[in-house]
Amino acid sequence: MNGGTGAGTPARLFGGQIEALEKAFRTLTLAATLKDQAARLRDVLGSYFAGDTVRLYRRTGADWESVAGGGDETSSLLPTPAGDTGAASVLEGGKISVVQRLADRSEIGVLLVRRAGGTPYAEPDLITLRLFLALFDSVYRELAARRNEKDLIFSLNHRVLQLNSLIDTGIEVSKLEGAAPPHHLALERAASLTNASKGVLRVTRGGRTEEEGWFPHGSPPEGAVPREGGISSAFDFGGETYTFQLFDKESRNGIIPFDETDQLLLDALSRQVHASLENLYLHQEALEKQKIEQDIAVAASIQQRILPKSLPAIEGYDIAGINIPSKSVGGDYYDCIPLPDGRFAMVIADVAGKGVPAALLVSSFHAYLTAYLEAGIPLVELARRMNRVISRASTEDKFITAFFAVLTPSSGALETVSAGHNPVFLRHKDGGLVELSVGGVPLGMLDMDFPYQSETLTMAKGERLLLYTDGIPEATDGRQRLYDEDFPLKDYVRAHVPPRADAFIQELIADVKNFTGSAPQNDDITALYLLKT
Amino acid sequence: MEQPFNLTSEVRDNCLIITTSGYVNNVGGEAIAAEFARHFDQGTRHVVINLAQSRVVNSVGMSFLIEIIEHLQEADGKLVFSNLDPAVEKMLSIMGLFQYAGKEKTVEDALLSFHDTGKKGS
């Protein structure tokens, strides 16, 4: 279409102009970019003015850049808009040059150099061109607004993405058995959320690098390895320093500086990793504790099976025993074992230490004891052998104090050997108390074949024998006072003579508990009481 | 960690299938866009981007993907993503890409989706 000068009457001219402007508007609004819009305008102008040389330029600074129509040798012809006028135009030598300032302060310039057929451009053409450029500005404002809106939506979505990813990463790094180490995942996420092109995590101890992992390739990038620059965040854990560093923030226009939000994100991810490592450490500690508790439970179960469920009835005697384990597994043991010749062996023992090793040693003690008793080995020899086998079965810090007694019920004869155990009390009927402690060293303390000695006495009617472990004399009250052997234990043994052995045991335990009050029981309490009726 | 970015492409039943590996960032996004443009100019309007080996995408990389979607929309074409890592799928979802692009589990499913919509590309 040629809508240029001399195309007809003014009415036809205006009608054609309006129609051309409407068409131009529809065409220009389809453009996705300024360059596209400029190209479309060039086509419109070329068609409307029948121009065979239509050139468009744009400048955002001092220099013009060709955006449609090619050639820049004529850009010097473009005028500069004065002040706030926003537009400038020149008609000279049949050529038109018009400049329109756009909404973003850049300028678009159009040169109509030559019309097909050679007709020079005239004043009406200049006016029409200015109308086209005003339209161009209007459409560009709309395009810029759409682009700004799109950028804003993208930016808002990206903020949502960053927050969401921060939450997700927090959950993922806190997984105790995640697929990837938490610090590697955090580095990956930090790089992508901040648009860093690369990043590194260094774990150092005392200035020495113990671990170094790069994103995205796992190893340092080719070329110079950046040591500084970018942003970083660090924390200390377990004597090591974990440092995250990100480099080269990307944009569509090249590398740009990291901003405050990037630093906040990196710090947040770094804190999440710190918390995750602490949680992992605590979790492992809890698992180890759980394992120990399971071992202790097994040991306690073994120990409880070794202890007698009931004691044998001895004609002319009444016997009772008790074992109250403390919270941790101890190593107390007691029993009364009938011997093939009609006698009875009474034993009480205490392993130094607690826990699984003590329970295992008690188990060995029980096995050897029953074997030797069944073999009819004399008490002194039994103690000697027990010392030897326990020495070999235990570590240096483990030993057993024990008291062995063999009773001949018919005569009341009692042979005893103490292997470093607490003195056993024999209470005469008149209240007198005898301490039985003849014997030797604790079992397993020294593997030097020490001899043991025994003592023999005869229990008369009404006499009583108390064997106990140190859980009783070492029980303390809230003020750390002991339920000591000299007082009050001996006094209690002298003063209390109930008719039944089990009554004595129960009342003794009640007295100890009454003494200690709310203080915790620190050791096993074991006692064996024999009363000749 | 991610592998260095790499890209392969093939055309199957008039559909462009771009398969990537590594970090989809500025470099990765530009490479995808260039490969897309090369085929778009030749008339391809149906595109599958297989991100099976790309577990990390940044927003610059995503801006290239959005541009591809826009170009296809204007030309009545369609983009379908396939083999998405859950984290990447969530990222693309939050950025609104699935309002204008499809997603399928596999490349084959993606190709079938073009048949299903009756929009087999030119």
Side-chain angles (χ1 to χ4, degrees), chain A residues 197-262:
Chain A
S197 66
K198 52 183 168 282
V200 63
L201 163 75
R202 288 192 183 90
V203 183
T204 57
R205 183 185 288 273
R208 198 183 67 196
T209 301
E210 304 223 317
E211 184 185 340
E212 185 174 283
W214 285 86
F215 176 84
H217 304 149
S219 54
E222 288 178 12
V225 177
R227 301 294 300 187
E228 292 181 1
I231 53 173
S232 68
S233 187
F235 65 85
D236 294 327
F237 175 73
E240 295 175 322
T241 301
Y242 291 70
T243 306
F244 292 92
Q245 273 182 289
L246 300 177
F247 306 98
D248 298 347
K249 181 179 174 70
E250 297 177 347
S251 79
R252 291 292 290 266
N253 300 315
I255 301 299
I256 58 172
F258 287 98
D259 59 27
E260 214 171 288
T261 308
D262 297 326

Side-chain angles (χ1 to χ4, degrees), chain A residues 150 168 195-196 216 250 252, chain B residues 2 23 25 59 63 70 90:
Chain A
K150 208 166 75 174
D168 282 354
N195 289 333
E250 297 177 347
R252 291 292 290 266
Chain B
E2 286 287 279
Y23 188 20
N25 57 352
S59 71
S63 71
E70 287 174 346
K90 195 167 185 182

